[in-house]
């Protein structure tokens, strides 16, 4: 596993039978015991420690009566989604395009497109357009002067290029945010 990073691990998952699209950032290193039941389309980020539960272990309680019982479901994550750290996605769930799943959420039902869900169980908390409006306004006050000044890319930029540019600008961002949040006064 050490030979893979967040942008190349898709190759490994594809060999396990999962459908993985392009331009994803996958911080996870497992899709669970049935990776072939998982679909991750294009331009998604799956944060660290997200669990995919494509089987229902609860049927164990019927195993003495029905020894061969098992229950499975597929998971589909559509284009341009973000799944937050420590989330759990249950089988028979589809996460619509342009959706965000908040950190620590347990997704038990389909997530509508252009929405943000959070909680246990996950529920809609915002629309994507409201979240974008708020995030852009905050970024206007937090963005360091000159941040991404060296960024030159035409068209749709792969996430790996964006991540490399963020890393190159990390010292600038850290210094600026320390001032914005007045952290030296603590």
């Amino acid at each position: 596993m050490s030979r893979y990073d967040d942008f190349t691990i898709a190759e490994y998952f594809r060999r396990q039978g999962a459908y993985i699209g392009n331009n994803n950032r996958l911080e996870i290193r497992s899709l669970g015991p049935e990776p072939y039941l998982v679909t991750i389309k294009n331009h998604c980020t799956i944060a660290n420690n997200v669990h995919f539960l494509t089987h229902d272990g609860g049927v164990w309680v019927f195993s003495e009566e029905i020894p061969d019982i098992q229950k499975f479901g597929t998971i589909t994550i559509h284009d341009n989604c973000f799944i937050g750290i420590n989330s759990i996605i249950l089988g028979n769930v589809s996460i619509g395009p342009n959706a965000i799943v908040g950190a620590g959420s347990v997704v038990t039902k389909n997530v509508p497109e252009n929405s943000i869900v959070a909680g246990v169980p996950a529920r809609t908390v915002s629309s994507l357009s409201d979240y974008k409006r708020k995030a852009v306004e905050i970024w206007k006050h937090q963005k360091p002067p000159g941040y991404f000044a060296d960024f030159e890319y035409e068209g749709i930029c792969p996430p790996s290029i964006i991540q490399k540019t963020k890393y190159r600008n990390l010292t600038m961002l850290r210094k600026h945010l320390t001032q914005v949040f007045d952290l030296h006064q603590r």
Side-chain angles (χ1 to χ4, degrees):
M1 296 302 282
S2 63
R3 68 181 178 180
Y4 298 107
D5 65 25
D6 297 348
F7 304 101
T8 60
I9 192 72
E11 299 166 20
Y12 173 74
F13 293 148
R14 287 181 189 114
R15 283 197 303 276
Q16 291 186 315
Y19 175 86
I20 310 290
N22 298 309
N23 293 322
N24 293 302
R25 181 178 65 174
L26 307 175
E27 297 176 359
I28 53 173
R29 296 300 178 259
S30 172
L31 293 175
E34 298 89 24
Y36 47 87
L37 296 178
V38 176
T39 297
I40 300 171
K41 297 208 174 166
N42 303 303
H43 194 260
C44 295
T45 290
I46 312 295
N48 196 18
N49 206 34
V50 170
H51 295 278
F52 296 86
L53 299 182
T54 53
H55 65 278
D56 182 347
V59 297
W60 169 258
V61 300
F62 311 121
S63 63
E64 288 180 346
E65 181 184 346
I66 312 165
D68 64 342
I69 192 165
Q70 295 189 65
K71 183 179 170 204
F72 298 94
T74 61
I75 296 172
T76 301
I77 300 172
H78 290 273
D79 293 340
N80 200 37
C81 290
F82 180 90
I83 312 299
I85 192 169
N86 294 326
S87 293
I88 299 171
I89 315 297
L90 298 185
N92 293 319
V93 163
S94 176
I95 298 175
N98 308 309
I100 297 172
V101 174
S105 297
V106 177
V107 182
T108 61
K109 296 189 280 189
N110 292 342
V111 175
E113 65 181 293
N114 299 309
S115 65
I116 299 170
V117 299
V120 179
R123 300 198 192 296
T124 302
V125 295
S126 179
S127 70
L128 192 64
S129 60
D130 284 347
Y131 174 70
K132 179 181 178 183
R133 182 181 44 77
K134 291 173 187 174
V136 167
E137 189 60 35
I138 289 169
W139 183 235
K140 286 179 187 176
H141 301 290
Q142 294 178 350
K143 182 178 179 180
Y147 188 73
F148 265 59
D150 62 341
F151 187 74
E152 293 182 24
Y153 201 89
E154 303 237 354
I156 297 175
C157 185
S160 59
I161 302 294
I162 295 169
Q163 201 63 25
K164 286 176 185 173
T165 306
K166 285 181 178 181
Y167 186 75
R168 279 196 315 270
N169 286 261
L170 187 59
T171 302
M172 174 194 307
L173 181 64
R174 180 179 178 179
K175 181 178 178 183
H176 182 74
L177 290 178
T178 300
Q179 293 170 346
V180 167
F181 292 112
D182 201 21
L183 297 177
H184 294 294
Q185 300 302 317
R186 290 195 263 174

